[in-house]
Amino acid sequence: MIGANGVALKSFAAGTIFGEAVGRWPPRVVALHGWGRTHDDFDAILDGFDALALDLPGFGASPAPSAVWGATEYASAVVPILQDLPEPPWIVGHSFGGRVAVCLAADHPKLVAGILVIGAPLVRSPEQTGGQPALAYRLIRMLRSLRLVPEEVLERARRRYGSADYRAASGVMRDILVRVVNETYEDELARLGVPVHFLWGGDDTAAPVSGARLAKRLVDGSGADASLAILPGVGHDMLAERPDKVRAELSMLIGA
């Protein structure tokens, strides 16, 4: 399989996940991208590392799941890849990938050396954007439930009032998005047993810093080693805005 950047991709888990390996094998780092993104997000970050950047199912070269998954099921899909490695790697997860990384570390701690979580919505925070859908959309949805308007009217309303990610998704991926954005991970954070480093943009509105602080307190309560670094003036897309800082933090964590 050839990726969008012309690089040959490796297949894993019986062809259900594709990814790009850089450096030497086996990887010391496995990278998980955000929603609607691909492994290419890590190009400027992983150069020089022994690493594997994956296309999570439904993104890039990897086929979509056949059922509606949450972050836990995505984590389970990555497990066969980690089981084939001689040593547990560090998991780097941005946004949606951070949700998956937390579930991986909570449910399969022996397969993970530690996690670097970047701008991932893990718990509810007062500053988090979003909330109750627009009144007009709620009214149309109610009318549809009463069979007073056709499905086409509801679909037009979804596209008008939904988020950019929602409008871009379709089929099972839209259902997965709806499920994932309503998940929180207090239980997983409270039972983590591996080192966790949270790296956050101070201007992140998709995953505000207040949520990162709440997440760290939950990990602190579990007794795991947790730390938080905040980059002032940086937004949600830290991989593009400050790849140098992500590289530096990753080097520090794995001792490279």
Side-chain angles (χ1 to χ4, degrees):
M1 173 72 71
I2 303 298
N5 59 1
V7 174
L9 303 180
K10 297 183 66 173
S11 67
F12 302 92
T16 59
I17 299 181
F18 287 81
E20 180 181 353
V22 297
R24 295 174 298 180
W25 193 266
R28 298 183 62 193
V29 176
V30 173
L32 309 176
H33 58 79
W35 186 270
R37 310 295 301 180
T38 72
H39 72 278
D40 293 339
D41 277 6
F42 292 94
D43 284 353
I45 293 163
L46 297 179
D47 185 36
F49 289 94
D50 298 328
L52 173 64
L54 298 177
D55 282 345
L56 290 168
F59 305 100
S62 299
S66 58
V68 179
W69 286 3
T72 296
E73 287 79 13
Y74 270 89
S76 296
V78 176
V79 164
I81 301 173
L82 304 186
Q83 288 175 327
D84 284 343
L85 300 179
E87 296 291 337
W90 271 81
I91 308 296
V92 180
H94 174 240
S95 195
F96 173 62
R99 298 176 187 249
V100 179
V102 166
C103 292
L104 260 175
D107 295 337
H108 308 278
K110 292 183 179 180
L111 299 178
V112 177
I115 57 175
L116 170 57
V117 180
I118 306 168
L122 301 171
V123 297
R124 302 285 182 221
S125 63
E127 295 86 357
Q128 194 158 343
T129 57
Q132 195 174 45
L135 177 61
Y137 175 69
R138 283 182 281 141
L139 177 60
I140 293 170
R141 190 170 59 185
M142 180 191 71
L143 292 173
R144 176 56 188 159
S145 70
L146 297 173
R147 299 180 182 272
L148 296 176
V149 298
E151 178 65 26
E152 292 79 5
V153 172
L154 179 58
E155 179 60 22
R156 286 198 296 271
R158 289 185 182 123
R159 293 192 174 278
R160 178 177 179 182
Y161 296 107
S163 67
D165 283 339
Y166 185 86
R167 292 194 300 271
S170 61
V172 71
M173 295 308 295
R174 177 181 284 182
D175 294 335
I176 289 172
L177 175 62
V178 170
R179 175 175 171 180
V180 168
V181 298
N182 286 293
E183 290 182 340
T184 59
Y185 307 93
E186 289 87 352
D187 175 67
E188 287 83 0
L189 290 163
R191 56 188 172 86
L192 286 177
V194 302
V196 184
H197 185 53
F198 298 101
L199 181 59
W200 242 254
D203 291 348
D204 193 333
T205 56
V209 171
S210 57
R213 293 193 175 102
L214 288 171
K216 182 181 180 300
R217 284 202 290 272
L218 287 167
V219 179
D220 287 338
S222 75
D225 180 15
S227 55
L228 169 63
I230 300 169
L231 301 186
V234 177
H236 187 62
D237 196 6
M238 187 183 297
L239 302 186
E241 293 182 58
R242 291 298 307 272
D244 58 323
K245 182 61 176 177
V246 179
R247 284 179 57 85
E249 296 284 320
L250 183 56
S251 293
M252 176 189 67
L253 292 171
I254 70 172

